[in-house]
Every structure is written in C-alpha cells, then in structure tokens.
Amino acid sequence: MAILGIDLGTTNSLACVWKDGKPELVKNSLGELLTPSVVCLDKEGNLAVGAVAKEQLITDPEDTAASFKRWMGTPKTFTLGGRTFTPPELSALVLEKLRRDAEEALGEPVTEAVISVPAYFNDNQRSATKLAAQLAGLKADRIINEPSAAALAYRLVHGEGDACLIIFDFGGGTLDVSVVECFENVIEITAIAGDNRLGGNDVDEAIARYFCAFNELRPGSLNAEQQAILLRQAEQCKCALSWSNLAVMCLPGPDGSSYTLTLTRDLLFRLCEELFERMKRVLARAIRDSGRNIGEIDHVILVGGSSKLAVLPDFIASLFGKPPLILDDPDTIVARGVGVCAGIKERSGEIRDIVMTDVCPFTLGTSVVNDDKDQNPHMSVMIERNSVLPVSRTDRFYTTRDNQEKIRVDILQGEEYYARDNLKLGEVLITVPPEPAGKQWVKTTFTYDINGVLQVEVENPSTARKKTAYVVNPSLHLSEEELEQKLQELAAIRSQLDQSEEEQLLLATAERIFAESTGRLRKETGRLLDLYRAMLAEGGGPARRHRERKWMKSQLEKLEKYREGEVFDLELPDSWEDDGE
C-alpha cells in the first residue's frame, strides 16, 4: 500500500508517490497535476473542490473559499452555503479529493500520507494540518517542511559535492527561506525563517490596489464579483509578464465604459518594493541564524509557484551578486520532495540511506521571574530556534517565594521577551517542600524529536518527585503502543548526540602529536586541542560538525608534516571564525 506525499499549498495542492525508483506525480481526476486549493458549497448544497471551485470564485464568490491555508491554527471561520467551516475542515476537503484521485490513479486504497507545511508553521498550525489529514481519512504522523522537501528533490536530481544552498520557497500565501547544508548522503537544514503572510497573493493585491488608484476607484465601491475579477486579472497579468514585457488589465465600468491599466515589468518591480523589503528581512534572518555569510552561499534556488514572478530573479541577484537557480518546474519540486520522503518512510532500497535533518522553527522555553521590580514573567529559553533535531536541554529553576509549595513549568513557543506574548503549549505542576525562597529547585529537561514530539520532564531532587508532559498534536490520538515507541525514541536521543568515532580519532591524534612534540609545535598542538574541544562542546548539527572535522583534519596534517621535518610555513588560524566558519 503506497504512502502518498502531499504538497498542501495555499494556491494549489499536489500528490506524489515513490514508484520505480523515483518520485512520480499523481494526476487528479481531470488529468492535471495541480489541484487548486479552493472549496465551494452553494446554497443548494452542491460541493465543488479544486478547478471547478476556482471557477466559482468569480460566479459565486460569497460561497467559495480560497487561501484558507493562511489561517490554519487560528480561530477564523468561513461561511459557505450557510454552513461554517474551519481552515482544517476546508483543507480536509482538498486532502480528501487528492486521496480519492490518487486511489483511482493507483488502483489501490491510500490511508497514509506525508504532508508538507511551511517551515515557519508553529505548533498550532502543524496540529491543524494533521487534524485536516485525520478528517480526510489519512494517517499523517510525518510532517515535512516545504523547503526541506525541495532540498531533498533538488539533491536527488542534481547530486553534487559539498554545497551550501538557500531554498527560497515563495508560494501563493507564504514565504519560507531555508539554509541547507549538503554533503555525502546528508541533507541538513541549518536555519529557517519565514513570513506566513507573504506570498504571490500579496503581489496580486498590490497590482489591484494600484489599478484602483490609477483609475481613481475606491476598492470598497466594487462588489464581490468585481473584486474577484480584478484579482484574477491581476494574477493573469502578473503571470503574463513572465514571457512578455507588458500586460493589460481591463475592468468593465458603468454605461459600457471600462477601466484599464498597462502593466510593465518596471512598474511591477516598483509595486513589489515593499514586499521585497519583507523578503530581504527574512533572508537576512535565515543567513544570520545559520552562521554563514552571503559569500558562502553556493546557490539560491527558487521554488514555489510564485517564484516565477518575472522581477524576482533580478531582486535576488541584486542581493547575492549572482542570479538564482530556477528549476524546470518550481510548482512541483516540493511535491516531488514529499514523494521522496514518502519513499524514505517506506524504506525503499534506493533512498533509505539518505539522512535528512531538520531544525526547531521556533524557540521553546518556560516562564521565569528574575527581578522583584518586574513581576511579569520572562521567557527563559530552553531550546533555541534553529537547533538541529533531535535535541535535548536541561536547566534548573528555583522557588521565588518563601514557603512556596508548588513550581509550575510553563511550556512556551516563540521569540518574545515576555512569556505572555508567546504561544503556550502546556504546563507541568510539581509539589516541593516549603522552604525559604531559592532553596528548592526543579531539574527541567526539554527534549524535541524529528517528528515534532516535545517531552518536558520536571524533577525535584529533594523529594525524588518527577513529572513528564508530552506535547503532541492532540488530534493524533496515539495508542499506548505508539506512545511507548515515541518514548523509546526520545530516550535514544541523548546517545545520538554523542561524539562520532571520527571526532574521537581526531582528538586522539592531536593528543599523540602533543605528546611527541616540544616547543612551538607542542604549543600550537595544545592550542588546537583546546579550540577543537570547545567546538565540540558547543554542539551543532551534522553539517557543522562535518566542516569542523574537515578543518581539524587539515590542521593535523600540517602538524604531522611539520613534525616529520618538512619545511613549510606553519599557519594556524588565530580563531575559528577566521578559518572555520
């Protein structure tokens, strides 16, 4: 039974399976690869999903919903045909169509899927996506970030040596930017940033606003049908500029008159300047968090349907000093990557050895009071955003009042200074003996795995009391057996974070050279040992440790040659920042 890979998009959705050693896109009932993420339910109760519903955006806009992915994880609702729908329910209708069409195309039932989400989706949004899958009759215990899927597909087709990539995933409703390290059979996401309210739809709206201003129209004066026609024309003209230097918009007016606008690429660039500034901030954050600089980026890869925006390559080239790579079909690369991920989940022989790591998209922490003058609890960081998964962190938290008998550990997600401004995922409450403030404390451990399961363990050493909370999407309804399996996986995380055998060998080699040397060589070897041990203590993902190992190995080779008497200039870097990263 095949596992279906699904790219659940804001504008369009696609399905893919791993078949005959490669990802194969699945056509829908209309013979098309792209299924519009649009749902219509008219007053008579007739339901339409996909291309048909997209057409009804014009004819019946009040009973048609699109771009609802932007509202996943929020309380927003949509009213269609007199009924109220949540974003997960609408998404479930799209997923169900994809599932049914896939079953028809494959000739077998489909009950399990891997679904892509924007890398910058928070826990509520990811949970809403899994709920949508459950409502569509799909088991979806694996959620993959869209840029991760794109990197997986790119690497499979364009395999090469070590590379540092930026995946610029510009969709209809969201922007995701990921810095990706590729080496050997490892694909590691080292940093992500995004804007869940920035996509191709915003370009359409900017064009429509300019059209109204140019023709001295008040947007509020247009009825729902006129607004839908205007946005559709804006989208069509935006697309037309990908192969033409100009495009014309025309909206019927009263008394047989019409309003027009000639759109050029230069004008489109000016209309996008505010959006480009937002993109620039997202790019800067991802690069900064990755620890890289622009000069170390080998390629910027544009993916997502909106990456075909005619003026986008010029903007990217102005930032990086070189044009981005635009793949043959940016609409489908995420879906192909999800198909590869489905193949990995099936343990297909051709790709089962591929290792793909990911990062925590948002900071995880708890609330603390650090200052008597400020009783507003602050966010105390446990797991920093962009920490490579799996990851585990431990800290101590003390009582703040005399005779305090309980300590509450809030489980928070977000980047804000005050705890109240972050998303609360849960809490752990533990009893402690009443003593003066600061005498009692709890040992708190946050452990986060690759599937988004967060374990929070709180222990009071003086009483040996221990409590554990598992922050798991409540819609999953894990069985006892599945939960036990998750616990075993979490318990194994710490051993996965141990030093590799190669790192141990490098340390041992350096210690041997130190023991065999005297004078300057011994001094340099000792400094190198201290530096490398400090690097290992800082941790980091496989790609970073791979670079550190390569650097350490090259320095040891220099030392060996010097020790053996070869005459050359011994040049060790003054700091790791100058020569390593």
Side-chain angles (χ1 to χ4, degrees):
M1 189 178 296
I3 298 177
L4 197 62
I6 296 177
D7 174 14
L8 182 61
T10 305
T11 306
N12 295 296
S13 296
L14 301 87
C16 187
V17 293
W18 183 260
K19 186 177 180 181
D20 298 329
K22 64 180 186 295
E24 183 175 299
L25 296 169
V26 180
K27 292 184 178 180
N28 60 26
S29 57
L30 298 175
E32 301 291 337
L33 295 177
L34 301 180
T35 297
S37 302
V38 186
V39 175
C40 178
L41 182 69
D42 64 22
K43 300 294 190 299
E44 288 70 41
N46 299 312
L47 176 68
V49 180
V52 177
K54 184 177 180 180
E55 293 298 327
Q56 291 172 302
L57 275 171
I58 302 298
T59 59
D60 191 6
E62 294 181 353
D63 292 321
T64 307
S67 298
F68 37 81
K69 177 180 174 180
R70 281 188 162 191
W71 303 99
M72 292 289 269
T74 73
K76 183 176 176 63
T77 59
F78 297 78
T79 301
L80 310 179
R83 289 189 54 188
T84 300
F85 292 87
T86 64
E89 288 170 338
L90 293 172
S91 298
L93 293 171
V94 176
L95 290 172
E96 185 174 14
K97 174 170 174 53
L98 293 173
R99 177 179 65 81
R100 290 179 181 274
D101 288 350
E103 288 178 336
E104 181 67 25
L106 300 173
E108 60 178 306
V110 174
T111 60
E112 187 172 358
V114 177
I115 302 177
S116 64
V117 296
Y120 221 54
F121 258 22
N122 62 26
D123 186 76
N124 281 349
Q125 292 163 313
R126 292 167 189 266
S127 292
T129 303
K130 290 185 177 182
L131 174 58
Q134 186 181 34
L135 294 174
L138 288 167
K139 176 185 177 185
D141 56 4
R142 182 72 171 99
I143 296 289
I144 180 174
N145 290 336
E146 290 167 3
S148 304
L152 192 57
Y154 171 84
R155 186 67 171 180
L156 197 68
V157 177
H158 304 276
E160 55 186 75
D162 293 4
C164 183
L165 312 173
I166 283 184
I167 306 294
F168 189 93
D169 186 358
F170 190 42
T174 59
L175 169 66
D176 271 334
V177 173
S178 293
V179 182
V180 183
E181 303 268 6
C182 299
F183 67 95
E184 298 171 357
N185 68 327
V186 177
I187 300 169
E188 180 190 350
I189 310 299
T190 59
I192 61 174
D195 188 333
N196 291 335
R197 295 289 187 270
L198 176 57
N201 295 345
D202 297 282
V203 180
D204 302 339
E205 291 172 5
I207 295 171
R209 285 195 301 271
Y210 183 81
F211 180 94
C212 291
F214 181 81
N215 288 283
E216 299 182 347
L217 286 171
R218 289 186 301 104
S221 67
L222 303 178
N223 60 37
E225 182 176 341
Q226 289 174 317
Q227 291 178 17
I229 292 173
L230 182 58
L231 284 173
R232 187 181 181 93
Q233 287 208 11
E235 179 188 12
Q236 290 172 341
C237 286
K238 174 189 70 177
C239 295
L241 288 179
S242 297
W243 61 81
S244 175
N245 290 322
L246 57 87
V248 178
M249 295 175 62
C250 182
L251 185 69
D255 304 323
S257 62
S258 62
Y259 303 102
T260 62
L261 171 69
T262 299
L263 191 65
T264 65
R265 289 187 179 182
D266 287 342
L267 176 56
L268 179 60
F269 195 99
R270 293 200 301 273
L271 295 179
C272 290
E273 284 179 345
E274 181 180 340
L275 303 179
F276 286 157
E277 283 301 312
R278 291 169 63 184
M279 293 178 189
K280 186 177 179 179
R281 290 194 292 271
V282 174
L283 280 163
R285 181 175 180 177
I287 295 171
R288 184 171 56 248
D289 285 357
S290 75
R292 294 289 204 162
N293 59 56
I294 287 181
E296 294 175 300
I297 305 300
D298 295 305
H299 300 295
V300 178
I301 301 171
L302 301 186
V303 302
S306 296
S307 67
K308 292 179 286 188
L309 180 69
V311 294
L312 183 58
D314 292 339
F315 166 69
I316 296 296
S318 71
L319 294 179
F320 290 86
K322 55 188 175 184
L325 295 181
I326 305 174
L327 302 181
D328 293 338
D329 194 354
D331 281 306
T332 65
I333 187 172
V334 170
R336 293 180 190 275
V338 185
V340 176
C341 191
I344 293 174
K345 199 171 190 303
E346 291 173 347
R347 304 300 293 168
S348 293
E350 307 93 334
I351 53 173
R352 63 186 176 194
D353 292 330
I354 292 178
V355 177
M356 184 173 65
T357 73
D358 224 321
V359 295
C360 180
F362 291 91
T363 297
L364 296 167
T366 189
S367 59
V368 298
V369 176
N370 293 326
D371 190 340
D372 290 339
K373 298 178 181 179
D374 185 0
Q375 290 300 308
N376 291 320
H378 305 161
M379 174 76 155
S380 179
V381 173
M382 292 294 291
I383 297 176
E384 196 112 44
R385 72 171 187 266
N386 290 318
S387 296
V388 177
L389 303 180
V391 61
S392 184
R393 297 284 187 267
T394 300
D395 205 347
R396 293 183 178 186
F397 298 99
Y398 294 81
T399 55
T400 58
R401 303 186 308 275
D402 292 339
N403 299 316
Q404 183 175 332
E405 296 184 356
K406 292 182 179 180
I407 294 179
R408 186 185 71 246
V409 177
D410 292 327
I411 305 169
L412 306 175
Q413 180 185 62
E415 314 302 327
E416 304 302 323
Y417 178 72
Y418 285 110
R420 62 171 183 254
D421 297 324
N422 294 297
L423 176 65
K424 185 173 180 178
L425 304 179
E427 66 177 43
V428 178
L429 190 65
I430 192 168
T431 302
V432 296
E435 289 195 48
K439 290 294 184 181
Q440 284 293 319
W441 55 276
V442 291
K443 175 184 175 183
T444 302
T445 301
F446 279 46
T447 303
Y448 196 50
D449 80 352
I450 193 69
N451 290 314
V453 179
L454 173 63
Q455 174 189 356
V456 177
E457 185 178 88
V458 180
E459 180 181 5
N460 176 232
S462 65
T463 63
R465 291 193 183 97
K466 181 187 295 186
K467 285 191 175 181
T468 305
Y470 303 95
V471 181
V472 186
N473 171 24
S475 67
L476 284 177
H477 303 304
L478 295 178
S479 67
E480 291 184 3
E481 294 78 11
E482 289 171 327
L483 183 56
E484 182 60 29
Q485 181 182 351
K486 294 294 183 186
L487 295 178
Q488 292 175 1
E489 292 172 356
L490 290 168
I493 286 177
R494 292 177 183 83
S495 64
Q496 295 179 34
L497 301 176
D498 289 343
Q499 293 176 8
S500 72
E501 186 174 355
E502 185 178 355
E503 289 167 345
Q504 295 175 18
L505 176 61
L506 290 171
L507 286 172
T509 301
E511 290 168 354
R512 173 184 57 78
I513 295 174
F514 181 90
E516 293 176 345
S517 305
T518 59
R520 181 190 173 196
L521 183 58
R522 170 174 271 198
K523 181 178 179 181
E524 294 289 0
T525 305
R527 191 179 72 86
L528 185 63
L529 260 172
D530 292 341
L531 187 58
Y532 190 52
R533 286 193 177 115
M535 294 176 203
L536 296 178
E538 288 178 2
R544 175 178 175 179
R545 293 172 80 154
H546 172 70
R547 295 199 309 273
E548 292 172 349
R549 288 196 297 269
K550 286 178 65 177
W551 176 82
M552 182 64 169
K553 185 176 181 180
S554 69
Q555 299 306 313
L556 290 177
E557 288 173 351
K558 287 183 181 180
L559 293 174
E560 287 279 31
K561 289 180 181 178
Y562 192 92
R563 191 177 67 84
E564 292 169 1
E566 181 174 295
V567 179
F568 70 103
D569 292 330
L570 178 65
E571 295 182 359
L572 289 177
D574 293 331
S575 68
W576 170 248
E577 288 76 11
D578 294 337
D579 193 44
E581 295 185 356

